[in-house]
Amino acid sequence: MSMSMEIEHVISQLINLCIESDDPDPLTREGKEVPVIQDMFREFGVSEKVLFMLQSRFVPEGTKEMKDIAMDPFLLRCCHLGYRLTRAVAQNHLVNGIAFSMRIGFMMTQLGNGFHVADALVAIFRNNRTLLEKVNQEHVEAFINLLRAKGKVPRYLEFLACTLACVPAYGAKLNELGEKTPVGMRPNQRMVGQQLLRNQDILYN
């Protein structure tokens, strides 16, 4: 087995360990997360090492550039798998989401290149009040620009949507169905609303 295939195999196995599912394909695998595995991966720095490996392919300057992706299918798949693992480790796990916060800046630079970074960011931010309170204009504008450049891609819209409300981990009010009621994130609602009003054309094109 070649080195590239070994890397793909290892990352795929890590994803499959994190998520319970009958789907063997790590890029489409959906299901319930396994908290004990998520904890172990954080404690051992597994996902951090994968993100560091991805980052090392692009920085410092003079290594890989985004234009190289089209000529390097392995790099594209490796990046996609890496962010899929990040998503699996962060899914419904507040502590792991916060642990990824130091890498969010780099991850934002990888958006729009077919790596599905937005899916990982949704998993990191969703219902994580600590991180949702740190959403800023730069984050919102980046996704508005992606919607303009790439069209209404569902994962970009999903990120903006997940910043608007948060289901509290503790003390949440229950609705008539016994489900936790989300609490609006007012500053984020204001930022997203203002940006959409300024860029209404992206909603209709």
Side-chain angles (χ1 to χ4, degrees):
M1 185 183 294
S2 68
M3 180 65 73
S4 61
M5 290 181 66
E6 284 186 20
I7 292 173
E8 285 188 23
H9 178 71
V10 169
I11 299 177
S12 297
Q13 289 297 101
L14 294 174
I15 294 168
N16 291 349
L17 284 172
C18 257
I19 301 294
E20 293 180 350
S21 173
D22 294 329
D23 184 356
D25 186 344
L27 295 180
T28 58
R29 189 177 179 89
E30 298 286 349
K32 183 174 174 53
E33 63 280 353
V34 184
V36 66
I37 299 296
Q38 291 176 307
D39 288 339
M40 183 173 66
F41 282 4
R42 182 190 71 253
E43 291 165 4
F44 290 160
V46 172
S47 45
E48 178 69 13
K49 287 181 175 66
V50 171
L51 278 177
F52 179 78
M53 179 190 72
L54 297 182
Q55 188 167 349
S56 69
R57 303 289 291 180
F58 297 97
V59 294
E61 283 189 38
T63 53
K64 288 287 183 180
E65 297 182 9
M66 288 303 174
K67 64 182 180 182
D68 298 329
I69 296 296
M71 298 179 289
D72 193 340
F74 163 68
L75 182 58
L76 175 59
R77 182 169 172 82
C78 190
C79 288
H80 191 176
L81 283 168
Y83 285 112
R84 191 76 182 181
L85 175 61
T86 302
R87 176 181 184 265
V89 174
Q91 183 173 302
N92 295 321
H93 200 299
L94 301 182
V95 175
N96 285 0
I98 292 171
F100 282 125
S101 62
M102 297 298 291
R103 296 286 184 185
I104 290 173
F106 170 72
M107 292 170 70
M108 293 290 294
T109 70
Q110 302 273 282
L111 285 163
N113 292 289
F115 305 159
H116 291 244
V117 180
D119 291 334
L121 289 170
V122 168
I124 289 169
F125 278 89
R126 176 173 281 149
N127 295 325
N128 195 323
R129 192 175 188 91
T130 300
L131 295 181
L132 289 173
E133 289 176 346
K134 296 179 180 179
V135 171
N136 57 39
Q137 287 284 359
E138 184 180 345
H139 296 133
V140 175
E141 288 176 4
F143 279 88
I144 292 293
N145 291 336
L146 282 167
L147 289 170
R148 182 176 296 285
K150 305 287 186 178
K152 293 189 284 292
V153 178
R155 59 182 177 272
Y156 301 152
L157 292 166
E158 187 179 5
F159 176 82
L160 291 174
C162 89
T163 67
L164 303 179
C166 176
V167 176
Y170 306 100
K173 294 181 179 180
L174 303 180
N175 62 20
E176 61 274 10
L177 298 176
E179 300 167 333
K180 291 183 177 180
T181 303
V183 175
M185 302 297 295
R186 295 295 177 83
N188 298 349
Q189 291 171 339
R190 185 163 50 250
M191 280 190 291
V192 173
Q194 289 173 346
Q195 284 293 330
L196 289 176
L197 284 172
R198 292 173 189 153
N199 298 274
Q200 294 180 48
D201 59 299
I202 66 174
L203 300 176
Y204 306 108
N205 295 331

